[in-house]
Amino acid sequence: MNNQNTKIIFPQNSSMFSNVNKDILLSLYEDMFLGRNFEDMCAQMYYRGKMFGFVHLYNGQEAVSAGIIKSLKNEDYVCSTYRDHVHALSKGVPAKMVMAELFGKETGCSRGRGGSMHIFSAPHNFLGGFAFIGEGIPIAVGSAFQSVYKKQVLQNTKTLSVTACFFGDGTTNNGQFFECLNMAVLWKLPIIFVIENNQWAIGMAHSRSTSLPEIYKKAQAFGLPGVEVDGMDVLAVRKVALEAINRARSGEGPTLIEALTYRFRGHSLADPDELRSRQEKNAWLIRDPIKRLKRYLIQNTLVTIDELSKLELKVKNEVEDAVNFALSSPEPQLGDLKRYLFAED
Ligand SMILES: Cc1ncc(C[n+]2csc(CCOP(=O)(O)OP(=O)(O)O)c2C)c(N)n1
Ligand SMILES: [Mg+2]
């Protein structure tokens, strides 16, 4: 079937010997470990009937979220897709508020009205959560535009905020992608387009659906830097992220980053995942970004197994607490059915 046409591209570069301090290494590990555990817990809760609708998990892609978002500042913005839980966690939205949102509870970050595909948090500059593919790209361009406007026209900020806009390989075949690249370059916007090329768009292999499979090369037509990075290597992602963020913040304009990655689960929890070959899945599974960082940390005696075990236990407790919080939280009131449709004074 599709598998015969699927070409597996593994990036050659590895950053594993770069100089990153221990606190940062641990925070990257913690963030990826939280993302993985949170998503595994979601699968459990979904199959127990605790959450409804479509739920798209992020397993396998954690190095992209951690490498990019952990390099941003609090005042920077993140715009996501329907595969959004882990992006929100990396941006600092508390696990319990994301979990409660997935349970449809009033204490969720979108007050239980959004669910899995519409995670949103104004205090964390987390712009969502969008069910339509490509829907977030113009929103992210707007976010980058307001930052420039505030600085240059209103003169009320000292530095530019950067917006990181995430989307998938399949989405790059949509029109908004090209329109937004054009505007971002034209106006030198402080934005990073992060393409998570996980090789598939539901059951459509990337190489069968696009004219030029190397997405980063499409940047050239619009005149912005296009960078390909190993999306299973958090330190490699972090390195290109920092360069792109510096560029954006100093007013030099946008960068396109194509992170080569893979999702370890089906497209959504409703997908039996029968289209991708076992051979292809295994080839990517051995490149698991979390195990890879762990190996690197231990082999280079940067941390002890004890330190990592403590961190892992802390994260597992955080995810347990998130479930208990979501379970014990109230449902939205029926009388509030129409609330939040419009802004309140
Ligand atoms: C405008 C629009 N068209 C079609 C869909 C149906 N759809 C949902 S996910 C998806 C594939 C997207 O693949 P990709 O961008 O690679 O993201 P991934 O799921 O791999 O993270 C499609 C076509 C949609 N949600 N929105
Ligand atoms: Mg994809």
Side-chain angles (χ1 to χ4, degrees), residues 307-319:
E307 277 175 293
L308 284 188
S309 303
K310 263 192 207 138
L311 203 64
E312 289 172 0
L313 187 64
K314 186 183 123 194
V315 167
K316 284 182 180 160
N317 288 336
E318 188 179 344
V319 173

PDB file of all heavy atoms in Angstrom, residues 307-319:
ATOM      1  N   GLU A 307      19.288  11.003  40.072  1.00  0.00           N
ATOM      2  CA  GLU A 307      18.730  12.339  39.789  1.00  0.00           C
ATOM      3  C   GLU A 307      17.596  12.236  38.770  1.00  0.00           C
ATOM      4  O   GLU A 307      16.536  12.843  38.940  1.00  0.00           O
ATOM      5  CB  GLU A 307      19.814  13.269  39.211  1.00  0.00           C
ATOM      6  CG  GLU A 307      20.689  13.921  40.247  1.00  0.00           C
ATOM      7  CD  GLU A 307      21.809  14.736  39.605  1.00  0.00           C
ATOM      8  OE1 GLU A 307      22.704  14.140  38.967  1.00  0.00           O
ATOM      9  OE2 GLU A 307      21.787  15.970  39.739  1.00  0.00           O
ATOM     10  N   LEU A 308      17.823  11.444  37.724  1.00  0.00           N
ATOM     11  CA  LEU A 308      16.779  11.307  36.698  1.00  0.00           C
ATOM     12  C   LEU A 308      15.556  10.596  37.262  1.00  0.00           C
ATOM     13  O   LEU A 308      14.420  10.958  36.954  1.00  0.00           O
ATOM     14  CB  LEU A 308      17.314  10.549  35.481  1.00  0.00           C
ATOM     15  CG  LEU A 308      18.225  11.332  34.534  1.00  0.00           C
ATOM     16  CD1 LEU A 308      18.527  10.518  33.285  1.00  0.00           C
ATOM     17  CD2 LEU A 308      17.607  12.671  34.130  1.00  0.00           C
ATOM     18  N   SER A 309      15.790   9.575  38.097  1.00  0.00           N
ATOM     19  CA  SER A 309      14.656   8.833  38.670  1.00  0.00           C
ATOM     20  C   SER A 309      13.794   9.752  39.524  1.00  0.00           C
ATOM     21  O   SER A 309      12.561   9.673  39.501  1.00  0.00           O
ATOM     22  CB  SER A 309      15.130   7.658  39.526  1.00  0.00           C
ATOM     23  OG  SER A 309      15.929   6.840  38.739  1.00  0.00           O
ATOM     24  N   LYS A 310      14.450  10.639  40.292  1.00  0.00           N
ATOM     25  CA  LYS A 310      13.700  11.589  41.139  1.00  0.00           C
ATOM     26  C   LYS A 310      12.826  12.499  40.277  1.00  0.00           C
ATOM     27  O   LYS A 310      11.661  12.738  40.575  1.00  0.00           O
ATOM     28  CB  LYS A 310      14.682  12.443  41.946  1.00  0.00           C
ATOM     29  CG  LYS A 310      14.897  11.908  43.327  1.00  0.00           C
ATOM     30  CD  LYS A 310      15.624  12.934  44.184  1.00  0.00           C
ATOM     31  CE  LYS A 310      16.392  12.189  45.267  1.00  0.00           C
ATOM     32  NZ  LYS A 310      17.719  12.691  45.522  1.00  0.00           N
ATOM     33  N   LEU A 311      13.444  12.970  39.193  1.00  0.00           N
ATOM     34  CA  LEU A 311      12.725  13.859  38.264  1.00  0.00           C
ATOM     35  C   LEU A 311      11.530  13.131  37.649  1.00  0.00           C
ATOM     36  O   LEU A 311      10.426  13.674  37.544  1.00  0.00           O
ATOM     37  CB  LEU A 311      13.703  14.273  37.158  1.00  0.00           C
ATOM     38  CG  LEU A 311      13.419  15.544  36.402  1.00  0.00           C
ATOM     39  CD1 LEU A 311      13.497  16.734  37.348  1.00  0.00           C
ATOM     40  CD2 LEU A 311      14.448  15.724  35.285  1.00  0.00           C
ATOM     41  N   GLU A 312      11.755  11.884  37.269  1.00  0.00           N
ATOM     42  CA  GLU A 312      10.688  11.103  36.626  1.00  0.00           C
ATOM     43  C   GLU A 312       9.536  10.877  37.606  1.00  0.00           C
ATOM     44  O   GLU A 312       8.359  10.967  37.232  1.00  0.00           O
ATOM     45  CB  GLU A 312      11.249   9.762  36.123  1.00  0.00           C
ATOM     46  CG  GLU A 312      12.172   9.961  34.924  1.00  0.00           C
ATOM     47  CD  GLU A 312      12.906   8.694  34.489  1.00  0.00           C
ATOM     48  OE1 GLU A 312      12.701   7.632  35.113  1.00  0.00           O
ATOM     49  OE2 GLU A 312      13.688   8.778  33.521  1.00  0.00           O
ATOM     50  N   LEU A 313       9.889  10.625  38.876  1.00  0.00           N
ATOM     51  CA  LEU A 313       8.847  10.408  39.881  1.00  0.00           C
ATOM     52  C   LEU A 313       8.025  11.684  40.086  1.00  0.00           C
ATOM     53  O   LEU A 313       6.789  11.647  40.170  1.00  0.00           O
ATOM     54  CB  LEU A 313       9.493   9.967  41.201  1.00  0.00           C
ATOM     55  CG  LEU A 313       8.519   9.534  42.286  1.00  0.00           C
ATOM     56  CD1 LEU A 313       7.740   8.284  41.855  1.00  0.00           C
ATOM     57  CD2 LEU A 313       9.263   9.246  43.605  1.00  0.00           C
ATOM     58  N   LYS A 314       8.735  12.798  40.145  1.00  0.00           N
ATOM     59  CA  LYS A 314       8.064  14.106  40.306  1.00  0.00           C
ATOM     60  C   LYS A 314       7.048  14.319  39.166  1.00  0.00           C
ATOM     61  O   LYS A 314       5.906  14.719  39.393  1.00  0.00           O
ATOM     62  CB  LYS A 314       9.119  15.217  40.289  1.00  0.00           C
ATOM     63  CG  LYS A 314       8.593  16.591  40.591  1.00  0.00           C
ATOM     64  CD  LYS A 314       9.682  17.642  40.479  1.00  0.00           C
ATOM     65  CE  LYS A 314       9.265  18.689  39.478  1.00  0.00           C
ATOM     66  NZ  LYS A 314      10.242  19.592  38.998  1.00  0.00           N
ATOM     67  N   VAL A 315       7.469  14.015  37.939  1.00  0.00           N
ATOM     68  CA  VAL A 315       6.593  14.211  36.775  1.00  0.00           C
ATOM     69  C   VAL A 315       5.392  13.261  36.859  1.00  0.00           C
ATOM     70  O   VAL A 315       4.244  13.666  36.602  1.00  0.00           O
ATOM     71  CB  VAL A 315       7.384  13.988  35.463  1.00  0.00           C
ATOM     72  CG1 VAL A 315       6.449  13.871  34.281  1.00  0.00           C
ATOM     73  CG2 VAL A 315       8.381  15.118  35.252  1.00  0.00           C
ATOM     74  N   LYS A 316       5.645  12.009  37.236  1.00  0.00           N
ATOM     75  CA  LYS A 316       4.532  11.044  37.314  1.00  0.00           C
ATOM     76  C   LYS A 316       3.499  11.502  38.341  1.00  0.00           C
ATOM     77  O   LYS A 316       2.288  11.390  38.122  1.00  0.00           O
ATOM     78  CB  LYS A 316       5.059   9.651  37.654  1.00  0.00           C
ATOM     79  CG  LYS A 316       5.714   9.006  36.445  1.00  0.00           C
ATOM     80  CD  LYS A 316       6.217   7.610  36.719  1.00  0.00           C
ATOM     81  CE  LYS A 316       6.846   7.064  35.442  1.00  0.00           C
ATOM     82  NZ  LYS A 316       7.746   5.956  35.670  1.00  0.00           N
ATOM     83  N   ASN A 317       3.987  12.046  39.465  1.00  0.00           N
ATOM     84  CA  ASN A 317       3.061  12.561  40.488  1.00  0.00           C
ATOM     85  C   ASN A 317       2.267  13.750  39.953  1.00  0.00           C
ATOM     86  O   ASN A 317       1.074  13.894  40.233  1.00  0.00           O
ATOM     87  CB  ASN A 317       3.823  12.985  41.751  1.00  0.00           C
ATOM     88  CG  ASN A 317       4.323  11.767  42.518  1.00  0.00           C
ATOM     89  OD1 ASN A 317       3.756  10.670  42.374  1.00  0.00           O
ATOM     90  ND2 ASN A 317       5.381  11.931  43.289  1.00  0.00           N
ATOM     91  N   GLU A 318       2.961  14.585  39.170  1.00  0.00           N
ATOM     92  CA  GLU A 318       2.291  15.773  38.592  1.00  0.00           C
ATOM     93  C   GLU A 318       1.142  15.331  37.673  1.00  0.00           C
ATOM     94  O   GLU A 318       0.057  15.913  37.693  1.00  0.00           O
ATOM     95  CB  GLU A 318       3.344  16.567  37.802  1.00  0.00           C
ATOM     96  CG  GLU A 318       2.881  17.902  37.293  1.00  0.00           C
ATOM     97  CD  GLU A 318       3.991  18.643  36.527  1.00  0.00           C
ATOM     98  OE1 GLU A 318       5.185  18.275  36.630  1.00  0.00           O
ATOM     99  OE2 GLU A 318       3.629  19.584  35.795  1.00  0.00           O
ATOM    100  N   VAL A 319       1.383  14.274  36.896  1.00  0.00           N
ATOM    101  CA  VAL A 319       0.340  13.799  35.973  1.00  0.00           C
ATOM    102  C   VAL A 319      -0.802  13.151  36.766  1.00  0.00           C
ATOM    103  O   VAL A 319      -1.982  13.368  36.463  1.00  0.00           O
ATOM    104  CB  VAL A 319       0.951  12.843  34.912  1.00  0.00           C
ATOM    105  CG1 VAL A 319      -0.132  12.217  34.053  1.00  0.00           C
ATOM    106  CG2 VAL A 319       1.953  13.597  34.039  1.00  0.00           C
TER     107      VAL A 319
END
